[in-house]
Amino acid sequence: MSDFWTSTYSDLSTEADVETRIVLPLLRALGYELRDIRPKQPVEFQHGRTRRPGRKPEADFVVYSELPHTRDTALIVVEAKRPTEKLEAGKEQAESYAQNLRTPLFILTNGVTLEFWQLQRIGESELVLTCSLEKLADKRGDIEAIASRNALLALSDQLRFKNLATLAQDLSSYVRSETERCRKDLRGHVSFSLQRLGANEAIAQDALFSDLRDGAIVAASSGYGKTLLSKAVMFDALEDERSGRPLPIEVFLPDLPDEGLEAYLLERVTAHSPRFNAARLRQEAQSNGLLVVADGFDRVPAPRRAAVTSQLRNFVRDFPRSRLVVFSRPNCLPDLKLPLLKLEGFRDVDVLSIIRMASPPTFRNDRLKLPAHLLEICRIPLLGSLVADHYLRHHRFPTKISSLYEGWLERVLDTFPAMEKAIFRDFLERLAERTVKQPLDIAACLEMAEGIGRENLASLADAEAISVRGTQVELIHEGLADFLRAQRIVRLPPNHPQAALDEITLDPSSLFPGLLLTASPSDEITGIIWRALAKKGLDPALSSLKFTIGDGERCQISDSTATATKVLTDVLEAIECLISSNFSDHLGNLIRRMIAGQKIERLGLKGQIREGFLNYSGFDAGHSGPRICVGADENAQRSFGIALDKQGYDAQAGRVLGAIAVQKGLGELIKYRWFKGGPIWTEEKVFGQLRHLAQRQRMNFTPPYHLPSCLRELTPWKGRRIGPSSIDRFQLIDFSELLDDIEWLVSRGCTQLAAWWIEPSAVDLSNPDHRRQLASTLDIYHRRCQAAYSEIVQRELPGLTEMLPEYRCIPMMYELEATALKSDRGDRLVLEFQRWPVKDIRDAGAKVVFPERSSRSYSPKSMDAYVKRSEELLTQLGRSRSQYHIVRGGATVPRFDGRTYMHMDNEDETAVVSAVMNMLAKDCKQVFGSIPTFPWT
């Protein structure tokens, strides 16, 4: 740029000419890098604590000393004008920008004259140099002495309002180091998908540092990329060059000292920028704010979590301009008033994308198609990445899931001799066992490392086998640790894995259950492990099944008796394990009855495989008869048929098919309403059945129903049953069950059942009495629905109480708006709702208002306020935010006359029965949704 000083500029006509031919060359000649020269830079002004509304003013140029580009590193404001304009017109504007950004210098030029002004915080700024473009070469020395980068850095050190040593020299090395670290870890990753937990609202990845004002809590299971996302947030924030953006600092929470968060943050920065100090950290936090990316809350020792949460809460309180993003597993969340986000798994397109990215150019296939069983597990990001890496190395898909982890471990230990590999693997397995709940302190790790030599710990860290963060040591990834833990268990003698698993508290968000099955060396061990998992709960039992299909060289399907016996044995085992662990004896027997199609004493299965098609049925095995028979069942009351080959199953799929059979049996019981509950459920069910018998069987019942009279009328029908045909929605009524229910109600002192409702279709909303009656009806309806559902779940599905989404939301108070929608056919009642968590079922129900027109707003701002208020109430009540579904919108107007036309409802049943069974059907669909099913091929 040396010729800039001697060039002539006689043909300038526009402001753009002045900017590109004068300003930019001048700044480059004065020693500024292009990255530090920011054209059209927005400048934010505030009135007190409030930002000035409207579009932000823009300085023509702002020149910074170094990254990050903030108010603290701003050096010069430049205001350019057309050659025909006078400089006086731009002075006030440039000075206001300089005051706002605290730049020691601002420059005015119109392509004819240059003016250099030194900012004065009090009083008029001082014009220190005026120079015409013709005299530029003569004034070069004076200009460089005033405006060169080195001159302004020296000047800033002397100014009280601009000491550039605070950031310009201190933070550049920190930013560079952290950027490179994150870039290395993020190589080849795809964008993450997030959803606001409890509310169906998608959140973009960059919103974690740009849009969410206070930050967020990100919840995700093991293998879903929490740590990778934390680095992506760091990287995006470090790359952001906006003025005034918060300084990002990553925190590994298990390593947080008792001295406090501020000390830890300072240590993280000073490791790269030694001149940074505590005063400057607080100044940055108060002016621009900090972005604290806090990973590993779930790895904090349980006794310390409350103290760590307190430190985080105090940080948010003391530095309101800062943002906090915390990463943890769903079952271990900090009690902070921050939005709760769920990290989603890969979509199909994401899986194919990472595999294509991993493929060498000569081997890429745009028509790439994964086997269905692999696509299912690849939605877990960790496994998707491992499959992609396997495809890159071998140009084929893996046939055994455990081989992915073995390959990972082999790459980690690749540089070590064979003997050391075995020794190091044993050490890593022992480290995995020691770090189930939290990382290991480095002192304890060094003691444990005596067998491998302490000097080799550094080698394992360099090889990315272990992670050393601060004073905490653990495996490089929890997924690899789970694999090594599983390996140690499956190598135990056959009678030991059961005992080992009984002592383990399974984390429902980990991959450990599936890794146990995929690591199993035999069918015998697989059965032992899966039975132990089923005892732990439905979730680990079902979620692990995706790891068994197609794992290993596929267990071929043949027509042999041995293959059919194995499949049927696994089906029966799954049915019995899931029933005994999750359902009451009453409901379990009914599910077995649905599978067999008849009343049975003990369930047995009979079936055969022909040309890849399995056909089986249930039968009564009696007290001591064989439970598995191979062959065709000519007397089957009900049969199941599965095209194993066509649907992606192999001979290992028996447990999956057993789980599907349980799901179908439960679905039929929901259809027939065959559940026991408490008084409210029984009252509602009996009322609907008596109404149905009066309507369809012409029995002499009229409401209010006198139950002792009904007993006398129904006693002759004991042992009989009536039910629906294929073309109607009549109720299935077992008279023996109905008589038992009525006798139970009478024994509790309930001798009469009367309608407690007013029919909404008969309401005149202009009539105050009608409005009061409708409000009372809807209040009672919502309370009874929640109470009846709770009765059923607690009595019949005790093993699912922590899994059913709608049940976990109970108790709730609904806020309803009832309005009349006018049409040619008359007014129609419309309901809109939002709901709030409450403490007790007695507080549940509905509050109803009757506005002229709906006042509900569904704008993003309104939804944010609704979600925030819901989360605050959950926190106050001590209820889990991760288990509550936040929803609002239009509500179905219940019909109490039994004439509903919803496809799931039965004729004449009460609105409460219909609503409760719909709730249960939706909940069960979600709970059993983790069963792997594949499309027909």
Side-chain angles (χ1 to χ4, degrees):
M1 302 300 297
S2 58
D3 63 338
F4 165 76
W5 302 102
T6 57
S7 299
T8 58
Y9 306 96
S10 58
D11 55 346
L12 305 175
S13 59
T14 66
E15 183 177 321
D17 289 339
V18 175
E19 291 176 347
T20 57
R21 296 180 59 193
I22 302 297
V23 176
L24 279 174
L26 169 65
L27 295 174
R28 295 288 284 122
L30 289 170
Y32 298 100
E33 298 290 337
L34 275 175
R35 69 172 188 180
D36 296 325
I37 303 170
R38 307 298 296 175
K40 306 304 178 187
Q41 182 77 346
V43 180
E44 192 172 83
F45 290 86
Q46 294 192 182
H47 292 296
R49 297 173 62 88
T50 306
R51 290 183 174 90
R52 183 182 296 174
R55 181 180 176 182
K56 295 177 183 176
E58 293 178 344
D60 288 338
F61 292 91
V62 178
V63 184
Y64 297 90
S65 59
E66 289 188 47
L67 289 173
H69 293 162
T70 68
R71 177 180 295 177
D72 297 283
T73 58
L75 290 177
I76 305 172
V77 167
V78 182
E79 185 68 20
K81 297 295 181 184
R82 294 193 304 273
T84 56
E85 286 187 86
K86 293 183 178 181
L87 293 182
E88 290 86 341
K91 191 258 183 179
E92 182 178 350
Q93 187 177 28
E95 187 173 30
S96 68
Y97 295 157
Q99 289 276 3
N100 184 284
L101 295 171
R102 299 199 296 265
T103 63
L105 195 72
F106 61 93
I107 301 173
L108 307 176
T109 183
N110 57 6
V112 178
T113 304
L114 278 165
E115 290 185 356
F116 296 82
W117 292 80
Q118 185 172 322
L119 181 68
Q120 303 296 322
R121 297 292 284 175
I122 301 175
E124 283 288 318
S125 296
E126 180 183 353
L127 179 61
V128 293
L129 179 66
T130 300
C131 173
S132 69
L133 268 293
E134 295 175 352
K135 301 290 186 181
L136 200 58
D138 297 338
K139 296 290 187 179
R140 175 178 177 176
D142 295 336
I143 294 172
E144 288 179 337
I146 294 170
S148 69
R149 184 175 181 277
N150 289 337
L152 278 183
L153 289 177
L155 173 64
S156 296
D157 281 338
Q158 303 170 23
L159 298 175
R160 296 180 64 184
F161 68 86
K162 175 66 66 172
N163 186 349
L164 286 176
T166 57
L167 288 173
Q169 296 173 1
D170 286 354
L171 286 186
S172 58
S173 58
Y174 167 77
V175 171
R176 282 195 300 269
S177 175
E178 289 293 275
T179 300
E180 287 308 309
R181 179 181 64 84
C182 294
R183 180 183 285 114
K184 175 186 174 184
D185 293 334
L186 291 170
R187 193 174 294 118
H189 90 290
V190 298
S191 295
F192 293 92
S193 301
L194 298 115
Q195 187 178 58
R196 191 150 190 173
L197 208 58
N200 295 323
E201 178 188 359
I203 303 292
Q205 173 183 313
D206 59 4
L208 289 175
F209 80 92
S210 61
D211 294 340
L212 295 172
R213 186 184 63 185
D214 300 319
I217 299 170
V218 179
S221 300
S222 176
Y224 277 73
K226 296 184 296 296
T227 298
L228 201 60
L229 177 57
S230 71
K231 295 185 185 303
V233 173
M234 276 289 294
F235 183 77
D236 289 343
L238 289 163
E239 288 282 284
D240 181 23
E241 296 183 348
R242 291 176 301 167
S243 175
R245 61 102 170 103
L247 175 68
I249 306 177
E250 188 176 22
V251 176
F252 183 54
L253 290 173
D255 199 36
L256 196 62
D258 294 334
E259 291 77 11
L261 180 59
E262 281 190 55
Y264 184 91
L265 297 175
L266 181 62
E267 183 180 346
R268 292 284 294 114
V269 179
T270 55
H272 306 284
S273 300
R275 294 181 61 187
F276 199 71
N277 57 38
R280 291 167 181 170
L281 176 72
R282 294 185 67 85
Q283 179 187 359
E284 182 69 14
Q286 290 165 352
S287 57
N288 296 318
L290 305 176
L291 171 62
V292 175
V293 181
D295 189 19
F297 183 81
D298 52 299
R299 306 293 292 158
V300 174
R304 290 196 64 233
R305 285 176 189 161
V308 170
T309 300
S310 178
Q311 288 192 44
L312 296 176
R313 191 182 297 118
N314 292 340
F315 170 79
V316 172
R317 180 200 63 203
D318 294 343
F319 304 109
R321 286 181 174 270
S322 295
R323 292 174 183 163
L324 174 65
V325 183
V326 184
F327 294 84
S328 187
R329 293 191 184 186
N331 62 330
C332 175
L333 300 175
D335 182 13
L336 298 169
K337 293 182 179 179
L338 293 173
L340 186 56
L341 309 182
K342 176 186 177 183
L343 183 54
E344 301 280 84
F346 280 161
R347 301 163 298 170
D348 291 0
V349 65
D350 296 328
V351 174
L352 295 175
S353 174
I354 63 168
I355 292 176
R356 290 193 181 105
M357 284 193 298
S359 305
T362 56
F363 200 75
R364 286 190 181 162
N365 181 1
D366 290 336
R367 296 184 179 180
L368 184 69
K369 184 176 181 180
L370 269 75
H373 66 278
L374 265 186
L375 187 60
E376 180 75 21
I377 67 163
C378 281
R379 292 193 176 95
I380 302 172
L382 170 63
L383 295 179
S385 300
L386 291 177
V387 168
D389 187 76
H390 185 281
Y391 189 74
L392 169 64
R393 294 172 185 275
H394 304 288
H395 298 173
R396 60 180 173 80
F397 292 119
T399 58
K400 191 169 180 62
I401 303 305
S402 58
S403 67
L404 297 174
Y405 288 86
E406 289 290 358
W408 186 2
L409 195 59
E410 180 64 29
R411 291 192 299 278
V412 164
L413 301 178
D414 183 54
T415 60
F416 300 104
M419 182 64 73
E420 288 187 3
K421 283 182 182 179
I423 295 172
F424 289 168
R425 176 170 182 143
D426 177 72
F427 168 77
L428 294 176
E429 287 185 2
R430 289 186 289 116
L431 180 62
E433 283 192 319
R434 292 282 299 275
T435 56
V436 171
K437 295 182 178 180
Q438 63 199 54
L440 194 63
D441 182 84
I442 196 165
C445 187
L446 287 170
E447 183 179 339
M448 196 178 81
E450 290 292 348
I452 66 168
R454 295 188 176 192
E455 67 280 359
N456 285 318
L457 271 185
S459 299
L460 288 174
D462 292 340
E464 296 186 343
I466 63 175
S467 168
V468 182
R469 292 196 269 187
T471 61
Q472 305 295 311
V473 183
E474 59 185 340
L475 270 291
I476 191 68
H477 195 285
E478 190 62 14
L480 184 59
D482 278 337
F483 171 72
L484 293 174
R485 293 167 192 140
Q487 290 286 311
R488 288 181 81 85
I489 288 180
V490 300
R491 289 201 301 267
L492 295 171
N495 60 327
H496 287 189
Q498 172 75 58
L501 288 171
D502 286 344
E503 296 177 3
I504 293 175
T505 301
L506 285 182
D507 183 345
S509 63
S510 88
L511 301 178
F512 182 63
L515 293 174
L516 278 168
L517 291 183
T518 192
S520 172
S522 67
D523 287 344
E524 179 188 5
I525 298 298
T526 299
I528 292 172
I529 290 172
W530 196 79
R531 288 192 292 274
L533 293 176
K535 287 182 179 179
K536 295 285 187 180
L538 188 67
D539 189 43
L542 296 185
S543 63
S544 66
L545 290 176
K546 66 170 69 74
F547 290 81
T548 65
I549 298 180
D551 190 33
E553 299 299 334
R554 289 178 67 83
C555 188
Q556 297 299 317
I557 300 166
S558 71
D559 295 351
S560 69
T561 298
T563 300
T565 300
K566 170 182 168 43
V567 173
L568 292 174
T569 300
D570 289 347
V571 171
L572 183 61
E573 178 186 68
I575 291 171
E576 293 298 343
C577 283
L578 296 180
I579 286 176
S580 61
S581 300
N582 299 287
F583 307 116
S584 67
D585 290 343
H586 169 259
L587 189 62
N589 289 331
L590 287 178
I591 293 174
R592 295 183 185 96
R593 178 175 171 179
M594 292 297 103
I595 293 171
Q598 58 183 318
K599 283 188 175 182
I600 55 172
E601 180 181 355
R602 196 164 63 114
L603 178 65
L605 297 181
K606 184 174 184 178
Q608 61 184 358
I609 299 174
R610 289 291 180 268
E611 297 180 354
F613 189 90
L614 169 67
N615 186 277
Y616 76 92
S617 58
F619 67 91
D620 186 1
H623 179 67
S624 57
R627 302 186 70 182
I628 299 296
C629 296
V630 176
D633 189 351
E634 302 296 338
N635 300 314
Q637 298 295 308
R638 183 177 189 186
S639 295
F640 297 85
I642 304 98
L644 298 172
D645 276 337
K646 293 293 184 181
Q647 293 182 252
Y649 296 120
D650 62 10
Q652 299 284 358
R655 294 182 185 86
V656 175
L657 302 180
I660 292 173
V662 172
Q663 180 186 21
K664 288 182 177 179
L666 186 59
E668 288 190 77
L669 294 177
I670 293 173
K671 176 182 177 182
Y672 297 139
R673 292 18 182 170
W674 276 7
F675 292 88
K676 294 291 185 182
I680 294 177
W681 168 252
T682 308
E683 289 170 9
E684 295 288 341
K685 184 180 174 184
V686 168
F687 189 103
Q689 289 177 331
L690 294 176
R691 180 163 63 182
H692 190 64
L693 292 172
Q695 294 283 349
R696 308 304 167 190
Q697 299 298 319
R698 300 292 186 258
M699 290 189 175
N700 189 26
F701 300 139
T702 56
Y705 302 116
H706 184 251
L707 295 184
S709 300
C710 294
L711 272 176
R712 290 191 296 272
E713 182 82 16
L714 292 170
T715 298
W717 290 74
K718 188 171 185 176
R720 297 175 62 183
R721 182 191 299 170
I722 61 172
S725 70
S726 59
I727 60 173
D728 59 42
R729 293 184 291 111
F730 287 3
Q731 296 184 45
L732 175 63
I733 298 178
D734 184 312
F735 284 93
S736 296
E737 292 284 338
L738 176 56
L739 286 165
D740 288 344
D741 287 341
I742 294 175
E743 288 175 353
W744 185 77
L745 289 174
V746 171
S747 71
R748 292 176 54 87
C750 176
T751 59
Q752 181 173 286
L753 295 179
W756 45 261
W757 57 80
I758 181 175
E759 188 60 45
S761 59
V763 168
D764 177 5
L765 291 184
S766 64
N767 186 321
D769 288 336
H770 281 201
R771 288 202 301 268
R772 280 192 293 272
Q773 292 176 43
L774 178 60
S776 175
T777 292
L778 294 175
D779 178 36
I780 297 171
Y781 166 74
H782 281 284
R783 187 178 305 109
R784 288 178 75 86
C785 283
Q786 294 177 56
Y789 190 36
S790 298
E791 291 172 355
I792 290 174
V793 172
Q794 292 164 12
R795 179 167 179 173
E796 298 279 49
L797 301 96
L800 303 185
T801 54
E802 294 300 313
M803 296 182 64
L804 299 170
E806 195 67 12
Y807 173 76
R808 293 184 310 190
C809 294
I810 295 171
M812 300 172 288
M813 171 59 72
Y814 281 74
E815 285 186 358
L816 300 174
E817 281 194 356
T819 55
L821 181 65
K822 299 185 181 300
S823 67
D824 295 338
R825 298 181 179 180
D827 293 353
R828 180 169 65 88
L829 180 64
V830 175
L831 295 178
E832 290 184 274
F833 79 94
Q834 57 187 21
R835 63 190 195 184
W836 308 104
V838 293
K839 184 177 182 180
D840 190 86
I841 195 68
R842 291 169 294 186
D843 303 321
K847 297 177 181 177
V848 189
V849 294
F850 299 90
E852 288 295 322
R853 58 180 60 87
S854 174
S855 64
R856 291 274 191 263
S857 170
Y858 296 96
S859 67
K861 182 177 180 181
S862 174
M863 288 299 297
D864 283 345
Y866 174 55
V867 170
K868 184 175 182 180
R869 179 57 182 155
S870 298
E871 291 175 341
E872 288 174 350
L873 288 172
L874 289 167
T875 300
Q876 292 172 13
L877 295 168
R879 295 177 57 181
S880 171
R881 289 194 288 164
S882 63
Q883 296 183 345
Y884 185 85
H885 186 208
I886 301 173
V887 62
R888 67 195 301 214
T892 302
V893 179
R895 289 195 64 164
F896 295 92
D897 59 3
R899 293 293 177 266
T900 177
Y901 297 100
M902 304 294 288
H903 77 283
M904 283 285 294
D905 300 343
N906 294 333
E907 291 282 356
D908 303 313
E909 69 184 6
T910 68
V912 170
V913 170
S914 297
V916 168
M917 289 295 99
N918 278 311
M919 291 163 69
L920 181 58
K922 290 178 181 177
D923 273 0
C924 288
K925 181 179 180 181
Q926 184 158 337
V927 166
F928 285 89
S930 57
I931 299 176
T933 56
F934 311 119
W936 187 286
T937 58

